[in-house]
């Protein structure tokens, strides 16, 4: 990774770093769009500066707003269609949810098999993802300022960032995770974060506190006892949970679910994947998945309400409700603070 001063303009910084290896049909929105039947809108926005298309799935709440926003970054080989369990739960709670699809590490790569997926798990792709999110925020702010339909009702000071797996690493970078090079990928316009199956940097010489000690906004990590490494590496649920240990006390949270695996936290309602061969999922995981999904949906919804709600009273009430959420099993835990 090239050296980069944190004072460089964001667009220029991303350019330098990038050189490395619901059924609504609303008018006034630019870009290609396709109305869905489950209260969603699919659109593709084009970042002209990078000549790059960014597909989105936008979930609009039924109430009139104003709405906080949650951006979601999929895992390696995923798409904007994933994480529908989380997206629908957050939408129902009054959050406008934007699922961001990342070319170069999305479903098109997955069609090339495991070798193609491994080749896409690179610093260059992480930087492209970070730039995608920066572009989406730029565009949301532009549309909100122009009072365009949907976007006129968003609260641009209350934008959260979530992701699964590679998407969780994207959220970590945007939250201010440090790397052993000068500069930062921190995105100051984001107010809170959620990393589902996140992880520290692989083979890093930096301590957990060095990596995550600069994160200065609310951050929740979520993982489970069977949350291993789909690419065949040494990651475990305990490794993924260690992100919490590196975060500064006071605004951090950790959700741990026994028997939950990597696909549990992908949040896909259908099809439910059993896997086979080396990827076969444990019987207990399969049995508990619907319950685990309900727990993660409730916990993360309360998390967003406690960090993105408009008033201090609303945030305090949501925080109290978060502490009372019933978990799925005796070994599950929710650690706050």
């Amino acid at each position: 990774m090239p050296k980069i001063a944190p004072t460089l303009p964001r667009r220029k910084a991303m350019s330098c770093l990038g050189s490395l290896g619901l059924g609504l049909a609303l008018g006034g929105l630019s870009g290609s769009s396709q109305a869905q039947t489950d209260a969603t809108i699919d659109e593709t926005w084009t970042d002209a500066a990078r000549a790059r298309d960014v597909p989105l799935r936008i979930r609009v709440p039924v109430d009139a707003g104003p709405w906080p926003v949650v951006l979601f970054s999929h895992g390696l080989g995923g798409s904007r269609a994933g994480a529908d369990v989380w997206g629908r739960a957050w939408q129902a709670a009054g959050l406008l949810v934007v699922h961001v699809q990342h070319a170069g590490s999305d479903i098109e790569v997955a069609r090339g098999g495991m070798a193609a997926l491994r080749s896409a798990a690179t610093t260059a792709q992480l930087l492209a993802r970070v730039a995608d999110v920066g572009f989406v925020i730029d565009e949301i702010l532009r549309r909100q300022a122009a009072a365009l339909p949907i976007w006129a009702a968003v609260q641009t000071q209350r934008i959260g960032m979530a992701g699964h797996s590679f998407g969780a690493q994207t959220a970590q970078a945007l939250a201010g995770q440090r790397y052993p090079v000068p500069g930062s990928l921190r995105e100051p316009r984001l107010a809170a974060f959620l990393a589902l199956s996140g992880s520290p940097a692989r083979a890093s010489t930096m301590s957990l506190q060095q990596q995550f000690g600069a994160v200065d906004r609310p951050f929740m990590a979520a993982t489970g006892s069977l949350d291993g490494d789909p690419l065949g590496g040494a990651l475990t649920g305990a490794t993924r949970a260690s992100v919490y240990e590196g975060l500064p006390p006071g605004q951090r949270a950790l959700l741990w679910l026994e028997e939950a695996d990597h696909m549990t936290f992908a949040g896909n309602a259908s099809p439910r994947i059993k896997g086979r061969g080396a990827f076969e999922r444990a019987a207990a995981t399969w049995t508990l998945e619907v319950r685990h999904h309900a727990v993660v949906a409730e916990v993360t919804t309360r998390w967003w309400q406690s960090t993105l709600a408009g008033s201090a009273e609303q945030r305090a009430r949501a925080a109290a409700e978060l502490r009372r959420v019933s978990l799925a099993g005796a070994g599950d835990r929710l650690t706050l603070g």
Side-chain angles (χ1 to χ4, degrees), residues 302-315:
R302 301 299 186 195
W303 172 252
W304 294 131
Q305 292 171 330
S306 70
T307 56
L308 300 179
S311 71
E313 180 181 355
Q314 290 172 317
R315 294 193 297 274

Side-chain angles (χ1 to χ4, degrees), residues 2 4 18 20 32-33 45 49 55 57 72 85 108 110 112 163 170 186 197 216 239 255 280 316-317 327-328 331:
I4 175 170
L20 286 175
S32 61
S33 66
W45 294 355
R57 175 157 291 182
F72 186 88
V85 175
E108 295 301 321
T170 306
R186 182 182 184 276
S197 300
D216 59 357
T239 306
L255 174 64
E280 185 173 0
R317 184 165 60 248
L327 303 181

Side-chain angles (χ1 to χ4, degrees), residues 31-307:
S32 61
S33 66
Q34 177 184 356
Q36 303 294 304
T37 59
D38 61 348
T40 71
I41 300 168
D42 282 356
E43 295 213 332
T44 298
W45 294 355
T46 299
D47 184 352
R50 296 184 295 152
R52 179 177 170 94
D53 288 340
V54 182
L56 307 171
R57 175 157 291 182
I58 303 160
R59 300 183 185 274
V60 184
V62 296
D63 66 78
W67 312 302
V69 178
V70 173
L71 309 179
F72 186 88
S73 174
H74 61 75
L76 190 62
S79 76
R80 63 185 174 185
D84 52 333
V85 175
W86 322 143
R88 289 171 180 166
W90 303 338
Q91 174 193 25
L95 298 156
L96 187 140
V97 185
V98 181
H99 300 259
V100 183
Q101 184 168 328
H102 306 283
S105 59
D106 62 359
I107 192 169
E108 295 301 321
V109 176
R111 294 190 173 105
M114 186 58 71
L117 285 171
R118 288 195 180 100
S119 69
T122 64
T123 299
Q125 290 302 329
L126 176 63
L127 295 171
R129 285 164 162 261
V130 166
D132 287 344
V133 174
F135 160 69
V136 169
I137 296 173
D138 288 344
E139 188 64 9
I140 289 173
L141 293 175
R142 184 189 71 79
R143 293 174 182 229
Q144 198 272 346
L148 295 182
I150 295 178
W151 307 104
V154 302
Q155 296 178 307
T156 55
Q157 299 304 310
R158 302 186 183 280
I159 304 177
M161 181 71 215
H164 172 245
S165 195
F166 203 7
Q169 294 179 38
T170 306
Q172 292 168 192
L174 291 160
Q177 180 179 357
R178 292 189 182 114
Y179 305 94
V181 292
S184 173
L185 299 173
R186 182 182 184 276
E187 172 52 78
R189 297 172 295 182
L190 294 168
F193 301 86
L194 168 65
L196 298 150
S197 300
S199 59
R202 296 172 186 260
S204 176
T205 59
M206 302 176 70
S207 69
L208 292 171
Q209 287 69 32
Q210 288 172 325
Q211 289 185 58
F212 298 102
V215 175
D216 59 357
R217 288 156 291 174
F219 193 109
M220 171 178 278
T223 187
S225 61
L226 300 181
D227 191 0
D229 191 341
L231 297 182
L235 284 173
T236 65
T239 306
R240 296 183 186 281
S242 69
V243 169
Y244 172 83
E245 299 170 16
L247 295 165
Q251 298 187 93
R252 61 182 180 173
L254 171 65
L255 174 64
W256 174 274
L257 297 179
E258 286 292 326
E259 309 293 348
D261 68 5
H262 201 65
M263 291 309 298
T264 300
F265 295 98
N268 300 324
S270 180
R272 292 181 62 209
I273 299 172
K274 280 192 172 181
R276 57 186 177 183
F279 298 97
E280 185 173 0
R281 303 174 73 193
T285 300
W286 176 256
T287 301
L288 285 168
E289 184 168 72
V290 172
R291 174 59 179 154
H292 280 155
H293 278 179
V295 170
V296 176
E298 183 175 3
V299 167
T300 57
T301 296
R302 301 299 186 195
W303 172 252
W304 294 131
Q305 292 171 330
S306 70
T307 56

